[in-house]
Amino acid sequence: MSSWTSEHTFEHPWEDVVRAAFRKYPNPCNPAVKGVDVVDRSVCPKGTIQTHRLLSTEFPLPEVAARLLGANSHSMHVSEHSKFDPSQSTYNLQSKNLTLGHLVTVHERLEYFPHPQDQTKTCLKQQSTVKVNVPFLSGYLEKLLIENFEKNAHKGRNGIEWVMNKIKEEDANKVPLQSSPDILTQIETKFIKEAEDLKFNMDNFLKNAQATGSPL
């Protein structure tokens, strides 16, 4: 088993970063994700939102790893569970691959939380763990996959920045929300609305891809 960890600081408040993380796909910075389906979503009275999604992605396997694992296609399906907790100012995601699960297991964990010394910034902790069940080649293949995570980590962060800029443009053209003493209600309303927008945008994205003959 091999693992990789990374820490990154966004120069934006936690609320803005998490809004963008909710709407991360699709984005041009990380085009590998081709589809997102919400399997389940629940909202508790305190505003905590738990979501289970399935992601269809073109996993960027190194060519030598793809051959050794017998992967005829780079298409992968990933199960993702997330928890948004406004009372604790945390947004955590955990994902695991479903494709090729008998040969390789990839666990990924992301944590978004306010910077402890500067509330205008947001910290992201990212951890990926890889276990390959191929005799005599596990160490070699795990090293290749971990190196691949390191090379592509910036794409996810750039995607967050891209979505954040898009949200700012949208907000500039909207009537401001009426003031309310219940900030949790405001945040919950925003995220639910953006989750609906994400589904609408993804549906249109898939329809356009199918119309142009994209092999999704």
Side-chain angles (χ1 to χ4, degrees):
M1 180 182 295
S2 300
S3 62
W4 167 78
T5 59
S6 174
E7 295 186 12
H8 177 75
T9 300
F10 290 98
E11 301 293 322
H12 310 280
W14 177 79
E15 291 84 355
D16 293 345
V17 174
V18 176
R19 286 181 67 192
F22 256 73
R23 294 177 51 179
K24 187 176 178 180
Y25 304 114
N27 72 76
C29 302
N30 192 2
V33 177
K34 301 299 184 180
V36 178
D37 292 300
V38 177
V39 178
D40 183 60
R41 173 171 286 134
S42 61
V43 182
C44 82
K46 293 184 179 180
T48 300
I49 302 175
Q50 298 192 62
T51 304
H52 178 203
R53 303 193 303 179
L54 290 180
L55 280 63
S56 299
T57 175
E58 289 183 352
F59 190 75
L61 279 172
E63 196 61 36
V64 62
R67 290 199 302 269
L68 291 172
L69 291 173
N72 297 323
S73 170
H74 288 186
S75 178
M76 302 280 286
H77 293 93
V78 177
S79 175
E80 177 196 82
H81 290 268
S82 66
K83 181 179 180 180
F84 163 72
D85 188 345
S87 64
Q88 300 296 322
S89 295
T90 58
Y91 180 48
N92 300 327
L93 302 94
Q94 296 188 57
S95 63
K96 176 183 177 182
N97 66 297
L98 300 178
T99 306
L100 295 177
H102 62 296
L103 294 176
V104 56
T105 303
V106 179
H107 286 277
E108 186 172 28
R109 179 181 176 85
L110 293 91
E111 300 178 62
Y112 297 87
F113 56 94
H115 193 286
Q117 280 80 46
D118 188 344
Q119 295 295 298
T120 66
K121 300 179 181 180
T122 302
C123 296
L124 166 63
K125 285 187 177 181
Q126 185 173 0
Q127 180 180 43
S128 300
T129 303
V130 178
K131 182 178 181 181
V132 176
N133 299 314
V134 178
F136 310 111
L137 293 174
S138 58
Y140 173 67
L141 292 176
E142 288 171 5
K143 183 175 182 293
L144 283 179
L145 293 171
I146 289 296
E147 289 176 351
N148 207 55
F149 274 113
E150 293 177 329
K151 292 178 182 178
N152 289 282
H154 69 282
K155 293 181 180 179
R157 298 193 291 265
N158 290 342
I160 293 288
E161 296 282 357
W162 183 87
V163 176
M164 236 180 317
N165 289 331
K166 183 177 180 181
I167 291 175
K168 288 180 180 178
E169 293 176 3
E170 294 173 354
D171 288 348
N173 297 321
K174 291 180 181 178
V175 177
L177 290 174
Q178 294 182 351
S179 60
S180 168
D182 187 357
I183 186 64
L184 295 184
T185 299
Q186 287 190 24
I187 294 176
E188 179 183 334
T189 301
K190 284 183 180 180
F191 280 107
I192 292 176
K193 175 61 168 61
E194 286 164 5
E196 294 173 348
D197 291 343
L198 170 63
K199 185 177 185 306
F200 177 78
N201 292 335
M202 185 57 70
D203 287 343
N204 286 338
F205 177 78
L206 293 175
K207 288 179 182 177
N208 292 334
Q210 291 172 353
T212 56
S214 177
L216 300 182

